[in-house]
């Protein structure tokens, strides 16, 4: 597609349930990033993929959070046993990552509300 | 740790005036910077970027200035319009062993008064 897409756009879940968030990066982009944005806040880095591997997972807040990427394309962020503090917008971005500094292009985000 | 910060969390300007949004960064080795615009309910949108071998770069109605001596970045918007109302983020690129990593500032809210 023309840009980064994410699904679902909105997700309401009950505390304790698992959720899966999907990201489709720009075709050909090797790097993929997940961020979390709480209401009125900045972007919190979660994880970085280069191809299918994740050399930087330093931003994942707990072991309830995991992510994978398959075929060097689609990525899924999974949150197990969701808590109310997980409520936020989850943003995905992708880039060419060919050298020193490449623009990251963002998707529209998934708005997660944990009741 | 490394950080990028903004001086003003909220900026209100009159329509037609020029806007200046400021940002300080802490990593002197950073060589690539980006400004993003985020409208309500949307993801951040690329506005303009600049590499450290430049002091100034101009786009359509926007100009980014980079002062490496004091590690300061600014975004200037000419003839600000209501559609410019958004949150603006600066980002600093850190080149890691495994690839690139952007560190984002806290954001500045720009409100345009008609």
């Amino acid at each position: 597609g023309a840009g980064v897409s994410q699904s679902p756009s909105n997700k309401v879940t009950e505390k304790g349930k698992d959720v899966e968030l999907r990201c489709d990066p720009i075709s050909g982009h090797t790097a993929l990033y997940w961020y979390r944005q709480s209401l009125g806040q900045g972007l919190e880095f979660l994880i970085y993929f280069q191809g299918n591997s994740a050399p930087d997972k330093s931003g994942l807040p707990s072991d309830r959070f995991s992510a994978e990427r398959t075929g060097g394309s689609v990525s899924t962020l999974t949150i197990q046993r969701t808590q109310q503090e997980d409520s936020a917008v989850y943003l995905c971005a992708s880039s060419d990552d060919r050298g020193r500094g490449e623009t990251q292009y963002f998707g529209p985000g998934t708005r997660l509300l944990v009741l | 740790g490394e950080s990028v910060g903004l001086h003003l969390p909220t900026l209100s300007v009159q329509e037609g005036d020029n806007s200046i949004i400021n940002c300080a960064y802490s990593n002197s080795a950073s060589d690539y910077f980006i400004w993003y615009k985020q409208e309500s309910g949307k993801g951040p949108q690329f506005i303009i970027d600049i590499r450290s071998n430049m002091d100034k770069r101009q786009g359509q109605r926007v100009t980014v200035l980079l002062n490496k001596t004091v590690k300061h970045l600014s975004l200037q918007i000419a003839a600000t319009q209501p559609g410019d109302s958004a949150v603006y983020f600066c980002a600093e690129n850190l080149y890691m062993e495994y690839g690139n990593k952007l560190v984002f500032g806290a954001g500045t809210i720009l409100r345009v008064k008609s």
Side-chain angles (χ1 to χ4, degrees):
Chain A
V4 178
S5 60
Q6 293 185 245
S7 62
S9 54
N10 292 281
K11 177 72 177 179
V12 180
T13 190
E14 294 179 348
K15 178 181 174 181
K17 300 285 189 182
D18 297 352
V19 294
E20 284 189 353
L21 312 179
R22 177 188 168 106
C23 172
D24 281 89
I26 293 172
S27 179
H29 278 188
T30 57
L32 186 146
Y33 305 79
W34 282 99
Y35 296 88
R36 180 168 70 175
Q37 186 175 35
S38 299
L39 186 64
Q41 301 297 314
L43 282 77
E44 175 188 3
F45 168 80
L46 297 178
I47 188 170
Y48 160 77
F49 284 94
Q50 178 58 250
N52 291 335
S53 64
D56 189 350
K57 306 178 183 178
S58 62
L60 295 178
S62 74
D63 58 8
R64 296 187 295 106
F65 288 72
S66 63
E68 64 175 14
R69 189 179 185 194
T70 56
S73 181
V74 172
S75 176
T76 302
L77 177 69
T78 300
I79 309 173
Q80 296 178 308
R81 306 180 301 281
T82 52
Q83 303 294 313
Q84 289 181 333
E85 60 263 31
D86 299 334
S87 297
V89 176
Y90 290 82
L91 291 159
C92 175
S94 70
S95 75
D96 274 338
D97 209 23
R98 289 168 295 175
R100 295 184 70 95
E102 297 293 339
T103 303
Q104 292 182 22
Y105 296 92
F106 284 83
T110 293
R111 283 148 192 80
L112 175 66
L113 177 61
V114 182
L115 300 176
Chain B
E2 303 297 343
S3 66
V4 178
L6 295 178
H7 295 311
L8 300 174
T10 304
L11 178 65
S12 294
V13 298
Q14 194 68 38
E15 181 179 0
D17 288 351
N18 296 334
S19 302
I20 300 176
I21 301 172
N22 296 302
C23 176
Y25 64 94
S26 58
N27 189 345
S28 57
S30 295
D31 57 5
Y32 181 60
F33 305 87
I34 309 174
W35 280 101
Y36 285 92
K37 172 186 179 183
Q38 187 175 26
E39 296 175 280
S40 181
K42 298 183 179 180
Q45 179 183 22
F46 170 86
I47 303 174
I48 192 168
D49 60 1
I50 189 168
R51 296 195 182 268
S52 60
N53 60 350
M54 302 174 69
D55 297 324
K56 178 180 179 179
R57 191 168 188 213
Q58 289 185 292
Q60 186 176 12
R61 283 200 307 116
V62 294
T63 300
V64 55
L65 297 177
L66 175 62
N67 185 330
K68 295 181 286 294
T69 302
V70 295
K71 290 185 282 188
H72 184 269
L73 194 67
S74 68
L75 178 69
Q76 300 179 358
I77 304 174
T80 313
Q81 302 170 0
D84 295 328
S85 293
V87 179
Y88 289 80
F89 294 96
C90 65
E92 166 188 22
N93 185 76
L94 301 180
Y95 188 68
M96 316 294 283
E97 287 184 3
Y98 53 78
N100 295 290
K101 184 173 184 176
L102 287 182
V103 175
F104 287 84
T108 292
I109 299 171
L110 177 64
R111 292 198 177 103
V112 182
K113 298 175 287 187
S114 299

